[in-house]
């Protein structure tokens, strides 16, 4: 089976060299994201202004570029998080899953150059970005058939290869950027080595589908588990900030059971819930699955524009046979569909296809929804020009390795 080359979704515009870049207000930034031009760029929640209020230990900077940024005439924006190198007045800049830009624009330097120059003048010595184009996709059915001992995603021919993602990667390499996780498929975790955000994510397409289509897209095991939850009387409700401590308690149980550690505090989730919902009511929701009056599972859902994300899930060790997590996900899928989302993003999945590896269980569970594994371009870094910045960049890497 040969890989399918998928053409870019829109025609590349003619180069526009009349680009001004400025700091912008949160109101101007949000207005652009809500505009037809901004919405078409598909910004994720990590590039919303509110995310700057979530991340402690980082300063945030809102930038916009276009014909007249001060008047709100924008073509792209970026939330930049700045981390100070101890003992200096210099900063490492991180644009999580950003900038929000038209990566199909052949004149990438027309906006990327001014962005880097602005950061350099602001005392930044190195930059990390997360371009939005996809690189490769694998259909769920194909991966389930080809799972086996020692196998990884990179061993399976992709169902689709996106030429835009390939072109963007080539452009970045030509400009001195390097891919943080390398060009392999990474380890058994949910991203390439060195990526802060998951490189491999799982998408369930929603656009153009009915609720019946979504139900038939679930595999037999998922449908059976959802029915079991309904038969056992599992109740799914949308909670509030008051239930975040219970969500956090269940998250601790999940981490110990599944052998991972997110390293987040309860205060982090409380801050996230407050910041995202202050920006737009209902942007972040906490879904709860109750059985006999007890909360057995809790999952978070975030929506921005026509995209929805299942961000974090937690569940108890007992009464797992009533399938509370399947009930939650089915309700969240339906709600995302009702809100008009084009895609339901289940976030990170591991790159292993080996059923004997513990991490494969997470992938297998998400494959049951019938979507696709998507390999993003991952994260890219480069020091800014000058020997001093290169020296600071090496020092910063050494500092992070010691932490």
């Amino acid at each position: 089976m040969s890989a399918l080359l998928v053409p870019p979704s829109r025609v590349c515009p003619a180069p526009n060299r009349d680009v001004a870049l400025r700091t912008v207000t949160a109101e101007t930034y949000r207005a652009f994201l809500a505009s037809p031009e901004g919405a078409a760029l598909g910004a994720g929640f990590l590039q919303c202004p509110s995310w700057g209020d979530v991340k402690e230990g980082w300063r945030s900077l809102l930038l916009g570029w276009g014909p007249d940024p001060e008047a709100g005439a924008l073509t792209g924006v970026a939330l930049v998080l700045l981390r100070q190198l101890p003992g200096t007045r210099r900063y490492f800049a991180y644009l999580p899953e950003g900038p929000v830009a038209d990566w199909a624009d052949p004149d990438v330097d027309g906006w990327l150059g001014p962005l880097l120059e602005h950061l350099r003048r602001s005392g930044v010595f190195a930059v990390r970005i997360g371009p939005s184009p996809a690189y490769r996709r694998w259909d769920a059915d194909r991966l389930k058939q080809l799972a086996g001992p020692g196998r990884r995603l990179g061993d399976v021919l992709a169902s689709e290869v996106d030429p835009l993602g390939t072109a963007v990667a080539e452009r970045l390499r030509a400009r001195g950027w390097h891919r943080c996780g390398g060009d392999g498929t990474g380890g058994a975790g949910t991203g390439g080595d060195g990526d802060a955000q998951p490189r491999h994510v799982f998408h369930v397409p929603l656009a153009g589908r009915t609720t019946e289509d979504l139900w038939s897209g679930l595999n037999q095991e998922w449908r059976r588990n959802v029915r079991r939850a309904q038969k056992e009387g599992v109740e799914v409700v949308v909670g509030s900030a008051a239930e975040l401590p219970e969500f956090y308690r269940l998250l601790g149980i999940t981490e110990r059971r599944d052998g991972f550690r997110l390293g987040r505090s309860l205060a982090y989730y409380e801050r996230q819930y407050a910041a995202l919902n202050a920006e737009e009511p209902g942007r972040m929701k906490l879904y709860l699955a109750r059985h006999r009056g007890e909360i057995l599972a809790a999952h978070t859902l975030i929506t921005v524009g026509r995209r929805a994300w299942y961000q974090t899930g937690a569940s108890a060790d007992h009464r797992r046979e009533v399938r509370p997590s399947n009930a939650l996900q089915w309700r969240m899928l339906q709600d995302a569909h009702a809100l008009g989302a084009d895609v339901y993003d289940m976030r990170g999945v591991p790159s292993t296809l080996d059923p004997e590896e513990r991490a494969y269980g997470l992938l297998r569970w998400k494959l049951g929804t019938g979507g696709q594994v998507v390999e993003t371009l991952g994260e890219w870094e480069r020091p800014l020009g000058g020997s001093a910045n290169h020296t600071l960049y090496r020092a910063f890497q050494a500092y992070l390795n010691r932490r």
Side-chain angles (χ1 to χ4, degrees), residues 74-397:
L74 299 169
T75 56
V77 292
L79 166 67
V80 183
L81 300 176
L82 300 172
R83 172 65 66 89
Q84 188 171 7
L85 179 63
T88 75
R89 294 185 177 181
R90 308 297 296 280
Y91 298 90
F92 176 78
Y94 178 38
L95 287 67
E97 298 186 2
V100 183
D102 182 5
W103 289 96
D105 184 351
D107 187 28
V108 170
D109 292 323
W111 56 265
L112 186 55
L115 173 62
L116 297 181
E117 177 58 24
H118 182 94
L119 295 176
R120 187 191 64 80
R121 293 198 308 267
S122 300
V124 169
F125 61 85
V127 182
R128 176 183 287 207
I129 61 175
S132 60
Y135 180 41
R136 297 183 289 184
R137 295 179 175 87
W138 293 265
D139 292 334
D141 288 343
R142 181 166 175 76
L143 291 178
K144 284 186 288 187
Q145 293 170 5
L146 297 175
R151 304 207 76 179
R152 312 196 76 76
L153 281 172
D155 299 326
V156 177
L157 188 66
S159 304
E160 302 173 4
V161 177
D162 194 323
L164 176 57
T166 303
V168 169
E170 292 173 352
R171 290 174 183 173
L172 291 174
R173 288 191 188 94
R175 288 158 177 80
W177 296 83
H178 71 270
R179 203 177 188 194
C180 298
D183 290 320
T185 57
T190 57
D193 295 335
D195 287 326
Q197 304 303 325
R199 179 181 295 186
H200 298 100
V201 295
F202 196 86
H203 287 178
V204 180
L206 303 179
R209 303 177 72 190
T210 65
T211 302
E212 291 72 23
D213 293 332
L214 298 179
W215 176 254
S216 62
L218 303 179
N219 67 14
Q220 289 184 352
E221 181 181 4
W222 262 80
R223 293 197 296 269
R224 183 169 59 250
N225 288 341
V226 173
R227 290 192 185 104
R228 176 68 182 273
Q230 294 169 344
K231 181 179 179 180
E232 294 288 345
V234 174
E235 177 190 17
V236 176
V237 298
V238 178
S240 67
E243 284 82 29
L244 284 172
E246 181 63 12
F247 158 77
Y248 188 71
R249 184 187 71 81
L250 291 172
L251 182 59
I253 293 172
T254 305
E255 289 178 335
R256 290 188 292 273
R257 179 181 67 238
D258 295 343
F260 69 91
R261 174 73 174 146
L262 293 177
R264 306 297 189 192
S265 65
L266 172 60
Y268 172 87
Y269 291 104
E270 291 174 332
R271 190 165 62 249
Q272 182 185 118
Y273 189 90
L276 270 62
N277 288 320
E279 184 170 64
E280 182 176 312
R283 169 151 288 170
M284 180 176 178
K285 294 179 180 177
L286 176 65
Y287 283 75
L288 309 171
R290 290 197 180 101
H291 184 246
R292 299 175 185 170
E294 180 184 3
I295 298 174
L296 294 182
H299 295 179
T300 58
L301 178 74
I302 298 175
T303 55
V304 177
R306 298 182 69 86
R307 297 177 65 187
W309 293 261
Y310 157 45
Q311 189 196 20
T312 307
S315 61
D317 283 340
H318 63 288
R319 271 188 263 165
R320 295 170 63 80
E321 70 280 0
V322 303
R323 304 301 179 183
S325 292
N326 294 93
L328 278 176
Q329 285 300 307
W330 175 235
R331 167 69 183 277
M332 291 162 68
L333 262 171
Q334 293 179 89
D335 285 1
H337 180 264
L339 288 169
D342 290 332
V343 64
Y344 182 67
D345 189 330
M346 299 183 79
R347 294 294 282 171
V349 292
S351 60
T352 180
L353 295 177
D354 187 341
E356 296 302 316
E357 291 191 28
R358 171 188 268 180
Y360 178 76
L362 175 63
L363 174 60
R364 181 181 179 276
W365 187 71
K366 294 183 181 182
L367 289 175
T369 63
Q372 288 185 320
V373 172
V374 179
E375 181 182 4
T376 70
L377 283 182
E379 297 184 331
W380 297 70
E381 268 186 16
R382 59 162 288 185
L384 299 183
S387 58
N389 284 337
H390 281 259
T391 300
L392 288 171
Y393 180 52
R394 289 192 294 270
F396 187 69
Q397 291 177 310

